[in-house]
Amino acid sequence: MSFPRDRLRRLRGSETLRRMVAETRLSRDDLLLPLFVVEGAGVREPIASMPGVFRFSVDRVVEEARRVWDLGVPGIMLFGIPDVKDARGSGADHADGVVQRAIAAIKAQVSGLCVITDVCLCEYTDHGHCGLVEGERVLNDPSVERLALTALSHARAGADMVAPSDMMDGRVAAIRAVLDEHAFEEIPILSYAAKYSSAFYGPFRDAAESTPQFGDRRGYQMDPANRREAMRELRSDFEEGADILMVKPALSYLDIIAEARQSFDVPIAAYHVSGEYSMIKAAAANGWIDGERAMLEAMLSIKRAGADIILTYAAADLAAHLDA
Ligand code: PBG
C-alpha cells in the first residue's frame, strides 16, 4: 500500500489555514456599480429582468450613489435613459440631458465617489443602434463624431471618467482629442475595448430600452469565437490612449481577461453583465443555488483571471460583506 507524500489537503484543514493561503482576495475596492438614470422625480422603479436593480430619477440616484459610497464602493458607471429618442441620438450630448444632470448632482453631493459615464448612442437612438445609421448600415465615422461630443458633454457636466461602449473604430482617439482640446486632458478613458456581441446583454436592453429595432450588433461588436481579434481591439484602444481596458462580458471570456492582463500594463476591467447577474438571481430565487455564494465565486473567478476592476450590479450587496 503506498500513500501520497504530497497532501494538498493539509493546507485546507481549517478556516484559518485557508485564509492564510488564499491566493485571491476580493475587496470592495475592486468593484464598480452600474446605475440607470431616468427622467422624473422620486422614481425608484424595479427592473423586472434584473432583480434588485432599479431605474432612478436624478434625485433618487444621488441617494443611491451616497449609499454605495458609504458601503465602500469607489465608483459608479452611469447610464442615461431619456424620454425622447431620435435617429441621431440627439439627447446623448445635451448639456441638460438626464445623465448630465445626474453627474452634476452626484458630484455636488457625494464627494469622493468616482463618477464614470457610459458613452454610447444606443439609449438615445430610436432605432436602438450604438451609432448613426444609413438604411440598415451602422456608420462608423459620423458615429465617432457624435460619441466624442457625448463624452465631452459628460466631462463638462463633471464626470470623473468616460467609458465608450459603442465599438466603433477610432472612437478612443477621437474622444481623447476632443477632451484634450477642451482642457479635459486629466479625464481618463475606460474603454470597452473587447466587447462581444453577447446574448448575456438581454436584461440590460430591457432596462435601457435599447434593443435594436432592426438587425443586431454583430456588425460592430465582436464575434464570441475570436480571441486574436480581441487582442487587436485591446491593442488599438491602448495605442489610441485608453487608460483602462475592459473586457465584456466576463465569465465566458476569462481567457481574454487573462491574456489582456498579461499583455498590457494598464488596469484591466471586466463587466459582469446583466445576463450573468440575472441568471444567478433567477436560480437563487428558485432555491436552486446559494445566490450570495455564487455571486462571490463569480467575482473571485473574474479577479483570479486578472481583472483589476469588476463592474457588477451586485457591487453594493457584495460590499456589505467584504473588507476594504
Ligand atoms: C451600451 C451598453 C450595453 C451594455 C453596456 N453598455 C448594451 C449593449 O451593447 O447591447 C450591456 C450591459 C449589461 O448587459 O449589463 N452599448
Side-chain angles (χ1 to χ4, degrees):
M1 184 91 186
S2 91
F3 296 100
R5 190 200 59 159
D6 289 341
R7 293 180 185 274
L8 294 166
R9 293 184 54 194
R10 283 187 199 116
L11 295 180
R12 297 178 196 147
S14 72
E15 185 59 36
T16 306
L17 279 171
R18 292 192 291 270
R19 259 176 62 202
M20 287 165 58
V21 301
E23 297 175 36
T24 310
R25 220 175 291 272
L26 200 63
S27 138
R28 299 184 295 214
D29 294 341
D30 304 326
L31 307 175
L32 291 176
L33 178 72
L35 285 174
F36 300 103
V37 197
V38 292
E39 298 287 357
V43 181
R44 183 178 185 268
E45 182 189 356
I47 298 166
S49 57
M50 300 174 71
V53 182
F54 300 83
R55 296 190 192 93
F56 297 98
S57 51
V58 171
D59 54 333
R60 302 296 295 272
V61 84
V62 173
E63 290 169 21
E64 182 65 0
R66 187 177 298 114
R67 183 179 80 88
V68 306
W69 173 247
D70 289 343
L71 283 168
V73 176
I76 57 172
M77 172 82 84
L78 283 181
F79 293 89
I81 308 168
D83 277 349
V84 187
K85 307 186 187 222
D86 62 20
R88 294 185 64 252
S90 312
D93 61 340
H94 276 173
D96 63 346
V98 67
V99 85
Q100 288 79 1
R101 279 182 283 121
I103 296 163
I106 294 168
K107 288 309 296 174
Q109 295 178 63
V110 190
S111 86
L113 183 74
C114 182
V115 177
I116 310 169
T117 57
D118 182 90
V119 175
C120 197
L121 300 182
C122 67
E123 300 95 335
Y124 301 90
T125 51
D126 51 12
H127 47 73
H129 278 289
C130 301
L132 305 183
V133 300
E134 194 176 80
E136 304 243 315
R137 235 159 43 90
V138 178
L139 306 173
N140 195 86
D141 300 4
S143 304
V144 166
E145 232 177 293
R146 295 278 306 124
L147 289 158
L149 293 176
T150 301
L152 177 62
S153 76
H154 294 174
R156 283 183 167 143
D160 295 304
M161 197 183 300
V162 293
S165 68
D166 52 281
M167 288 299 278
M168 299 300 134
D169 290 317
R171 82 279 166 80
V172 172
I175 291 172
R176 185 72 273 157
V178 168
L179 291 178
D180 291 1
E181 255 167 52
H182 293 84
F184 291 112
E185 68 281 348
E186 300 285 344
I187 302 283
I189 298 175
L190 187 173
S191 156
Y192 289 68
K195 177 176 177 179
Y196 286 87
S197 178
S198 172
F200 294 109
Y201 305 151
F204 173 95
R205 291 182 187 170
D206 278 351
E209 297 155 5
S210 64
T211 307
Q213 298 305 299
F214 61 86
D216 54 43
R217 302 209 205 287
R218 283 183 289 185
Y220 39 106
Q221 297 180 351
M222 280 193 57
D223 183 342
N226 293 356
R227 182 185 58 79
R228 291 189 299 263
E229 190 189 352
M231 293 306 123
R232 288 190 68 190
E233 282 286 3
L234 290 154
R235 191 172 310 112
S236 71
D237 284 11
F238 175 76
E239 283 166 2
E240 286 178 34
D243 300 278
I244 300 176
L245 295 172
M246 181 145 76
V247 175
K248 176 187 173 189
L251 289 181
S252 300
Y253 301 89
L254 295 181
D255 55 333
I256 311 297
I257 296 172
E259 193 167 345
R261 175 61 292 150
Q262 284 180 11
S263 306
F264 302 99
D265 288 330
V266 292
I268 302 298
Y271 200 140
H272 184 250
V273 302
S274 56
E276 301 179 271
Y277 169 87
S278 293
M279 285 194 302
I280 292 176
K281 287 291 185 184
N286 275 297
W288 296 336
I289 54 171
D290 178 335
E292 206 171 286
R293 277 189 56 204
M295 202 66 84
L296 271 169
E297 189 174 326
M299 296 309 137
L300 202 60
S301 311
I302 296 165
K303 185 163 182 190
R304 191 194 61 234
D308 306 287
I309 295 170
I310 305 171
L311 280 100
T312 168
Y313 299 98
D317 295 345
L318 292 169
H321 302 283
L322 293 171
D323 298 328

